[in-house]
């Protein structure tokens, strides 16, 4: 409420507040309270409200003052949550459109959330499971999107790695999404902001290694993405909440990758709208319900049940099938209502003597959050509301999507180091040079282990050797430290290879022997009892050897080398 100064200094005073009305709530008795100033009647059945005073006061919401009508604050002075349903009946002008809707102001997000409303002549009736600031407005889109024309702020980023190249976005303040990139340790963080007041899906050609949001709880982001995955049967589409930023982390790939992202607005997004509105006040999706099940699990089970029960939903998400969308929206809302009702009821108890319903003292906040979620989803059970949301998705959202990619970038790979039967990178086996060891270190970096030893050639003289190891890769030289030092070869065993290394025929120690023999042309295998190795060779590359450790050729490759030297 703002302060208004009168004409004389000595007569300064606060402007007159809108009148406050109140009614006494008695145990076992219904209550009815009229506020003529705001054209509103509030009613509750017996024991739906805690004993005390029901109060209606004028409210001045910080957002959308110009479009919200008859905004009021409805509270009780007891501080106890609402146990049942409260009916709000606004008298509206005869000229108000059929889309007129009652909504409550969510204080955390400063968004208006529609509640189930019925229009009959000049009365607009709604039902709520909690008390807060209420009002009514005549455009559903304001309730769903809080002004569809509103746009977000673009993200800001620091420096980005040289291997992240060619970031392309739509150069317009009206673009579907904004994006920028910055370094995140050895990875890159792609910041993506939804420039719309309704959720959208971003379909990516390459899945990121992690998805987080600085504006939304991680559990909420995971829930939305899990819902999309279940709907689309793909884990490459992520949910972007209204005006929300989502950070996508990518690691440098072993092969160059071109990433593209396309904004999608379809039936899946319509379902996300319902899910998101339900989730606005239940930010902790790891919250354990009285039955022992986590709320996030219950919600996803509900979503999964919907997918299996709504014929054609999974196959029709990329279409604008109005009837299918209406059915899916209403079913999802009804399914959520049952989850929230059941869990909310478990947090309250009824006094057998007075009949008054009380909420457990340490569960009041949780009870209120479930009540708000219940009000949000019940709205979409109304056939009219579900149809309006479906029409909004089809007529407005689909027109808001441009052709072509909304974001794209190239993730370059490190320079490749090819290991072949005759080379280590560009260094040939048997090449002689005093700087052989230095060239290897320049190629792979500092080795994780260095060992000096003597060879054990059958029928020959032992020679001084040095092995340099980089994780699972071992490279051997003979006559180390001398002017005629020479590269002998390389060996790979199970473990992590340097990122840039590529092996012959792309056979690695993560492959089974059978899979390796399919990948290696003209491969043959035999068990050698002496060395307890199942040896795989090919005449195409006679210096190469692959081996497993099981006599029947099962199991995985455990040894790859171009310098197999059997010893007694």
């Amino acid at each position: 409420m703002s302060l208004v100064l009168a004409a004389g200094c000595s007569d300064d005073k606060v402007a007159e507040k809108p009148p406050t009305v109140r009614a006494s709530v008695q145990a076992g008795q219904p209550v009815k309270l009229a506020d003529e100033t705001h054209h509103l009647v509030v009613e509750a059945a017996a024991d739906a409200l805690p004993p005390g005073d029901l109060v209606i006061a004028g409210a001045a919401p910080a957002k959308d003052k110009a479009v919200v009508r008859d905004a009021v604050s409805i509270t009780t002075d007891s501080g106890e949550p609402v146990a049942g349903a409260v009916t709000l009946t606004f008298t509206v002008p005869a000229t108000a459109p059929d889309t007129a809707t009652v909504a409550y102001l969510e204080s955390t997000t400063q968004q208006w959330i529609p509640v189930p409303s019925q229009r009959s002549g000049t009365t607009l009736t709604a039902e709520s499971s909690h008390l807060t600031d209420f009002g009514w407005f005549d455009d559903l889109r304001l309730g769903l999107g809080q002004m569809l024309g509103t746009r977000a702020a673009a993200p800001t980023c620091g420096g980005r790695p040289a291997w992240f190249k060619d970031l392309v976005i739509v150069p317009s303040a009206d673009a579907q999404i904004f994006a920028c990139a910055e370094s995140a340790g050895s990875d890159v963080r792609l910041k993506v902001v939804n420039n719309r007041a309704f959720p959208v899906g971003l379909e990516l050609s390459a899945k990121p290694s992690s998805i987080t949001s600085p504006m939304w709880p991680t559990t909420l982001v995971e829930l939305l993405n899990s819902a999309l995955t279940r709907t689309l049967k793909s884990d490459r589409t992520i949910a972007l909440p209204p005006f929300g930023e989502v950070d996508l982390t990518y690691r440098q790939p072993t092969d160059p990758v071109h990433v593209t992202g396309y904004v999608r607005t379809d039936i899946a997004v319509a379902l996300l709208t319902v899910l998101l509105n339900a989730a606005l006040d239940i930010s902790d999706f790891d919250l354990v319900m009285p039955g022992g099940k986590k709320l996030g699990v219950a919600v996803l089970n509900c979503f999964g049940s919907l997918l299996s029960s709504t014929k054609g939903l999974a196959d029709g998400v990329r279409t604008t099938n109005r009837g299918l969308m209406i059915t899916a929206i209403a079913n999802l809302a009804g399914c959520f209502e049952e989850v929230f009702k059941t869990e909310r009821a478990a947090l309250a108890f009824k006094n057998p003597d007075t009949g008054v319903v009380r909420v457990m003292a340490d569960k009041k906040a949780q009870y209120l959050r479930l009540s708000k979620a219940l009000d949000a989803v019940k709205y979409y059970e109304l056939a009219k509301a579900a149809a309006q949301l479906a029409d909004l998705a089809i007529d407005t959202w689909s027109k808001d999507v441009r052709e072509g990619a909304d974001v794209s970038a190239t993730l370059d790979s490190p320079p490749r180091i090819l290991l072949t039967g005759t080379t280590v990178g560009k260094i040939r086996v048997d090449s002689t040079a005093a700087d052989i060891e230095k060239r290897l270190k320049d190629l792979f970096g500092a080795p994780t282990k260095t060992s000096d030893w003597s060879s054990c050639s059958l029928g020959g003289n032992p020679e001084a050797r040095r092995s340099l190891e980089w994780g699972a890769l071992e490279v051997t030289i003979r006559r180390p430290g001398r002017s005629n030092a020479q590269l002998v070869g390389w060996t790979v065993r199970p473990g992590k290879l340097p990122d840039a290394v590529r092996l012959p025929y792309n056979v690695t120690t993560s492959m089974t022997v059978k899979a390796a023999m399919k990948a290696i042309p003209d491969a043959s295998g035999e068990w050698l009892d002496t060395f307890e190795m199942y040896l795989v060779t090919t005449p195409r590359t006679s210096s190469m050897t692959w081996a497993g450790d099981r006599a029947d050729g099962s199991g995985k490759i455990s040894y790859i080398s171009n310098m197999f030297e059997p010893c007694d």
Side-chain angles (χ1 to χ4, degrees), residues 99 139-141 144 148 176 196 198 265-267 269-270 319-323 325-326 329 384-402:
T99 53
D139 190 344
L140 173 70
R141 298 179 189 183
L144 295 176
L148 292 181
Q176 278 275 332
R196 295 295 184 269
F198 48 84
T265 54
D266 45 36
I267 192 170
V269 173
T319 67
T320 52
N321 185 321
R322 184 175 185 270
M325 194 176 292
I326 292 172
I329 291 167
K384 186 175 181 179
Q388 287 173 332
L389 178 56
D391 287 340
L392 187 64
I394 295 169
D395 298 333
T396 302
W397 296 351
S398 58
K399 292 176 183 176
D400 205 16
V401 179
R402 72 181 198 90

Side-chain angles (χ1 to χ4, degrees), residues 208-213 218 221-222 225 235 238 246-249:
S209 58
S210 69
I211 303 170
T212 58
S213 174
T218 300
V221 174
E222 291 174 351
N225 289 330
D235 60 359
I238 64 169
V246 173
D247 295 345
L248 313 176
T249 301

Side-chain angles (χ1 to χ4, degrees), residues 285-413:
F285 276 93
D286 288 331
L287 193 65
V288 178
M289 296 290 98
K293 182 180 291 186
K294 292 183 178 180
L295 183 59
V297 174
V299 171
L300 281 180
N301 287 345
C302 175
F303 206 93
S305 173
L306 168 71
L307 295 183
S308 61
S309 64
T310 305
K311 184 179 180 182
L313 176 60
D315 298 325
V317 293
R318 290 289 178 236
T319 67
T320 52
N321 185 321
R322 184 175 185 270
L324 181 61
M325 194 176 292
I326 292 172
T327 300
I329 291 167
N331 285 354
L332 178 62
C335 169
F336 277 5
E337 181 186 358
E338 291 307 310
V339 172
F340 295 147
K341 271 186 176 178
T342 302
E343 304 304 343
R344 194 181 72 145
L347 303 178
F349 61 93
K350 190 172 185 177
N351 187 313
D353 298 325
T354 64
V356 175
V357 176
R358 296 284 189 184
V359 178
M360 300 176 196
D362 60 338
K363 301 296 184 182
K364 291 180 181 179
Q366 183 177 337
Y367 187 91
L368 178 60
R369 288 156 63 191
L370 285 168
S371 297
K372 290 183 177 181
L374 182 61
D375 287 340
V377 297
K378 282 169 64 178
Y379 178 79
Y380 296 104
E381 287 184 71
L382 300 176
K384 186 175 181 179
Q388 287 173 332
L389 178 56
D391 287 340
L392 187 64
I394 295 169
D395 298 333
T396 302
W397 296 351
S398 58
K399 292 176 183 176
D400 205 16
V401 179
R402 72 181 198 90
E403 295 297 326
D406 293 279
V407 61
S408 66
T410 299
L411 311 183
D412 208 355
S413 61

Side-chain angles (χ1 to χ4, degrees), residues 489-554:
W490 58 268
T491 300
V492 168
R493 294 183 173 84
K496 188 179 187 315
L497 285 170
D499 290 337
V501 166
R502 295 293 180 275
L503 300 176
Y505 309 115
N506 292 319
V507 173
T508 69
T509 55
S510 65
M511 296 177 66
T512 63
V513 173
K514 292 181 179 178
M517 292 186 68
K518 289 182 180 179
I520 301 167
D522 301 328
S524 60
E526 62 174 329
W527 174 253
L528 301 181
D529 278 325
T530 303
F531 306 108
E532 295 187 341
M533 299 171 70
Y534 188 89
L535 219 62
V536 177
T537 58
T538 174
R540 299 281 191 96
T541 315
S542 58
S543 60
M544 285 299 306
T545 302
W546 297 264
D549 55 10
R550 297 185 184 179
D552 60 357
S554 62

Side-chain angles (χ1 to χ4, degrees), residues 207-288:
K207 183 182 177 182
S209 58
S210 69
I211 303 170
T212 58
S213 174
M215 301 173 62
W216 298 83
T218 300
T219 44
L220 174 54
V221 174
E222 291 174 351
L223 180 73
L224 294 174
N225 289 330
S226 296
L228 268 185
T229 298
R230 292 198 182 201
T231 310
L232 304 178
K233 297 182 179 179
S234 168
D235 60 359
R236 290 188 295 106
T237 299
I238 64 169
L240 299 180
F243 302 133
E245 176 185 321
V246 173
D247 295 345
L248 313 176
T249 301
Y250 284 95
R251 299 189 178 98
Q252 186 173 18
T254 53
D255 295 300
V257 173
H258 186 67
V259 178
T260 54
Y262 297 84
V263 170
R264 302 298 190 192
T265 54
D266 45 36
I267 192 170
V269 173
L271 295 175
L272 281 183
T273 300
V274 182
L275 182 58
L276 185 61
N277 280 352
L280 283 174
D281 271 284
I282 310 180
S283 58
D284 182 4
F285 276 93
D286 288 331
L287 193 65
V288 178

